[in-house]
Amino acid sequence: DLNMRPFRNVWMLEEIGVSYHHVNCKPWSKQAKAVHPLGKVPALVVKDVDNQKQFTIVESAAINTFLGDLVREIDSNKRTNDDTGPSKLLVPPPATHLRAKYDSLTLFIMTELDSQALWIHRKHSDLKDVFGEAPIAVTEAKRQFENALDAIEIELDDKSGYLLESGFSACDILLSNCCFWAQQIGWLARSPSDESTISTAGDTAMPKSLSPKLASYLAQCRRRSAFVKANELRKGQVSERKEHQRSKI
């Protein structure tokens, strides 16, 4: 479902420009259970042509990090013979200060923004029929999201405009996707000028206000051609789902 975490991986795949086949399946379906130990999505099945094997990677952040490492190695091998053209540094090389920061930010986003905040809302609000209703937990999750977002917004580099000084990277895909997710559920305002959504300290009902700096950051992420392509695929999937539902009526 490209409305959720799998969107991050399709976006990354469009960024690096490798061929892929997207299988649309729901969590806990037979297709999902065949490639993920818990039947969750996303999962990336990689075909190793040289060794005639295939392996599976789960967790959206791990998938994108692998893809970034892969394309960097491919790009590095090509540049050995032809040292021209820009290098796609979507994931920095291991054992460098940029990689250390990338790993730190990636884990922060996945633990503090995703699993401890947005996923709590998803489980106990959107999927309350499955996991049960827990309004107090959801309220605390929103507060957690706001505190974590304030902390990571400070990390945005003034020169590059992204989280890393080197420019756009895979951790920007994670952060912006979490922000878009928060906007969809009403936790984050959609524009800085939307006065009706400006929240005050301790307000758990209203969306968190969107700073001009974060608004500019999200806007430049949305303008990326790979995001636009992935978003068109998402819209197409939504349209197909609606058409399928109408056909059942």
Side-chain angles (χ1 to χ4, degrees), residues 11-12 26 31-32 53 65 72-73 76 82-83 90 110 132 140 146 148 156 158 173 182-183 189 192 198 210 227 247:
W11 181 358
M12 181 70 172
K26 292 183 178 181
Q31 286 177 304
K53 295 180 180 180
T65 298
R72 189 189 61 252
E73 289 303 310
S76 177
D82 181 17
D83 194 21
L90 294 175
M110 293 302 296
E140 290 305 314
E146 292 176 352
L156 291 174
D158 290 332
I173 292 178
Q183 288 175 330
I198 295 178
L210 184 66
F227 173 89
S247 66

Side-chain angles (χ1 to χ4, degrees), residues 45-56 66 70:
V45 179
V46 182
K47 294 182 179 180
D48 188 340
V49 178
D50 294 334
N51 296 319
Q52 296 184 340
K53 295 180 180 180
Q54 71 177 31
F55 58 93
T56 303
F66 166 78
L70 177 67

Side-chain angles (χ1 to χ4, degrees), residues 50-184:
D50 294 334
N51 296 319
Q52 296 184 340
K53 295 180 180 180
Q54 71 177 31
F55 58 93
T56 303
I57 308 169
V58 300
E59 298 296 328
S60 59
I63 291 170
N64 279 0
T65 298
F66 166 78
L67 291 171
D69 282 337
L70 177 67
V71 76
R72 189 189 61 252
E73 289 303 310
I74 293 174
D75 186 54
S76 177
N77 291 336
K78 287 181 178 179
R79 289 166 63 86
T80 299
N81 299 321
D82 181 17
D83 194 21
T84 60
S87 176
K88 294 182 178 180
L89 194 65
L90 294 175
V91 174
T96 62
H97 79 282
L98 275 180
R99 180 56 172 262
K101 185 168 185 179
Y102 167 86
D103 288 337
S104 177
L105 292 171
T106 295
L107 289 172
F108 184 92
I109 294 166
M110 293 302 296
T111 56
E112 304 296 337
L113 287 173
D114 187 316
S115 63
Q116 291 195 61
L118 293 164
W119 180 238
I120 298 298
H121 176 278
R122 176 73 171 159
K123 285 179 69 175
H124 298 298
S125 183
D126 295 344
L127 300 175
K128 60 185 177 182
D129 292 339
V130 178
F131 296 102
E133 213 168 356
I136 295 176
V138 172
T139 297
E140 290 305 314
K142 182 175 181 292
R143 186 177 289 111
Q144 161 72 20
F145 172 82
E146 292 176 352
N147 292 337
L149 187 61
D150 285 340
I152 201 164
E153 184 178 339
I154 298 173
E155 298 294 331
L156 291 174
D157 188 83
D158 290 332
K159 291 184 178 180
S160 72
Y162 295 106
L163 286 169
L164 298 183
E165 62 188 64
S166 56
F168 182 81
S169 69
C171 58
D172 291 301
I173 292 178
L174 297 178
L175 176 57
S176 59
N177 181 256
C178 283
C179 289
F180 300 147
W181 184 353
Q183 288 175 330
Q184 287 182 343

